[in-house]
Amino acid sequence: MTSSIYEHLLIEHQDDGISILTINRPDKLNALNHALLDELDRAVEEFDKSENASVLIITGAGEKAFVAGADIKELSSLTGAEGEKLSARGQAIFNRIENASKPVIALINGYALGGGAELAMACHIRIATENALIGLPEVSLGIIPGYGGTQRLTKLVGKSKALELILTGNPVKADEALQIQLVNHVRQADEAMELALTLAKKMMQNGPVALSKAIQAVHAAYSSNGFAKEAVLFGQLCETDDFREGTSAFLEKRKAEFKGK
Ligand code: COA
């Protein structure tokens, strides 16, 4: 087994062709800052091009979180133009995952909020541990999901449930996530990786070209261009007082007081 070195990611390339990518920023609950996003992009590109890696499993370091979202500290100072650019950048990285030529499995081992839920939704299969909590709480910060969440949640769970979750910002526990088909499986924490490895090995018995084309074919059933709209709206929200108030309130550990401006 060999492993590549990143600042915020741990990557294990197993001899059997399975790679395990661990988002490794546990002191911030693996929140996605700019540097981490860049590394994630590079790691996924390397996986996709690798002749030795056949399936990628993505999980989070520590016992609390898969990924607790985009880094709110970085978000809090975004201008509208920067927000739109960041949204498009996040979308591009997560699109790379969704369009990978080989299967990518998310092992959601705790909080998967905001960008964390969006990352998991970009993967082809989702396995949640029993303590997982999955949601898109962006409106509580005065923004909307900007890394593809408005599009992918709607496709995965349908319009009415997606609107309920996005407009309330309420997260769902693992059992409800399974019931609404947001995740494929729920397992105890110590059994989830075993299931991910079992599914990976089963997929690897099949023709690699067929897997690649199957991923493309299934996505063709869901193609739409709402992503561009999401990025524009995300950028517009970064100009609002409500967004400044929402992110400041989180960083100052107090309740936000929105004025609707
Ligand atoms: N961005 C930046 N920092 C984050 C973060 C995020 N999305 N989520 C958590 N952190 C940081 C906290 O600020 C804290 O840092 P500190 O120790 O320097 O104060 C650390 O991670 C631990 O988080 P904390 O809030 O103390 O843990 P908790 O167990 O009390 O609460 C959550 C866990 C997930 C409920 C809470 O961290 C949270 O609500 N996070 C934001 C979720 C969110 O809105 N995500 C969408 C972003 S678009």
Side-chain angles (χ1 to χ4, degrees):
M1 197 187 295
T2 56
S3 61
S4 308
I5 306 289
Y6 290 86
E7 189 187 346
H8 300 301
L9 306 178
L10 298 171
I11 306 200
E12 256 184 36
H13 300 295
Q14 297 188 175
D15 291 338
D16 59 6
I18 300 173
S19 294
I20 301 173
L21 184 161
T22 304
I23 311 275
N24 188 29
R25 211 185 157 215
D27 57 323
K28 297 290 179 191
L29 303 186
N30 305 321
L32 303 172
N33 61 11
H34 296 308
L36 201 161
L37 275 178
D38 285 344
E39 289 191 355
L40 185 61
D41 194 30
R42 188 154 51 89
V44 173
E45 186 179 10
E46 281 173 11
F47 159 71
D48 209 23
K49 288 186 177 157
S50 165
E51 291 187 358
N52 304 318
S54 302
V55 176
L56 181 66
I57 297 171
I58 301 182
T59 193
E63 296 187 350
K64 269 176 91 169
F66 173 68
V67 167
D71 189 304
I72 298 173
K73 194 159 188 208
E74 284 186 354
L75 286 186
S76 61
S77 58
L78 290 178
T79 64
E82 288 167 346
E84 187 175 340
K85 201 169 150 205
L86 177 68
S87 173
R89 169 98 182 110
Q91 288 179 4
I93 297 169
F94 290 2
N95 284 345
R96 189 196 283 287
I97 294 173
E98 184 168 53
N99 294 314
S101 59
K102 300 175 265 192
V104 183
I105 300 172
L107 198 170
I108 307 170
N109 57 322
Y111 292 115
L113 301 173
E118 293 174 299
L119 170 60
M121 289 192 287
C123 298
H124 302 130
I125 307 260
R126 281 157 291 286
I127 299 169
T129 56
E130 285 175 344
N131 67 330
L133 201 66
I134 307 171
L136 293 174
E138 282 86 347
V139 291
S140 71
L141 299 168
I143 43 170
I144 57 171
Y147 297 167
T150 62
Q151 305 303 296
R152 292 198 176 92
L153 185 66
T154 307
K155 287 168 186 166
L156 284 169
V157 307
K159 185 175 168 185
S160 20
K161 195 68 191 177
L163 275 170
E164 180 189 329
L165 296 183
I166 291 171
L167 296 180
T168 60
N170 286 345
V172 291
K173 292 182 182 167
D175 53 353
E176 188 180 352
L178 182 64
Q179 188 204 328
I180 63 174
Q181 299 189 39
L182 178 52
V183 301
N184 299 64
H185 300 279
V186 176
R187 285 291 182 278
Q188 289 179 7
D190 58 353
E191 292 173 2
M193 182 56 83
E194 194 184 326
L195 175 62
L197 293 170
T198 302
L199 288 176
K201 285 175 192 156
K202 175 72 178 135
M203 292 177 206
M204 284 160 59
Q205 291 168 10
N206 303 315
V209 183
L211 293 182
S212 165
K213 302 289 184 205
I215 291 168
Q216 286 178 35
V218 171
H219 288 156
Y222 288 90
S223 56
S224 77
N225 49 20
F227 287 99
K229 182 77 178 170
E230 180 190 85
V232 170
L233 295 170
F234 185 90
Q236 287 173 358
L237 284 161
C238 289
E239 292 284 345
T240 63
D241 293 343
D242 279 357
F243 166 67
R244 302 276 168 239
E245 168 62 10
T247 50
S248 302
F250 175 80
L251 296 171
E252 291 160 17
K253 302 185 190 294
R254 61 176 174 80
K255 198 168 178 317
E257 287 186 29
F258 294 118
K259 301 277 192 298
K261 295 200 165 111

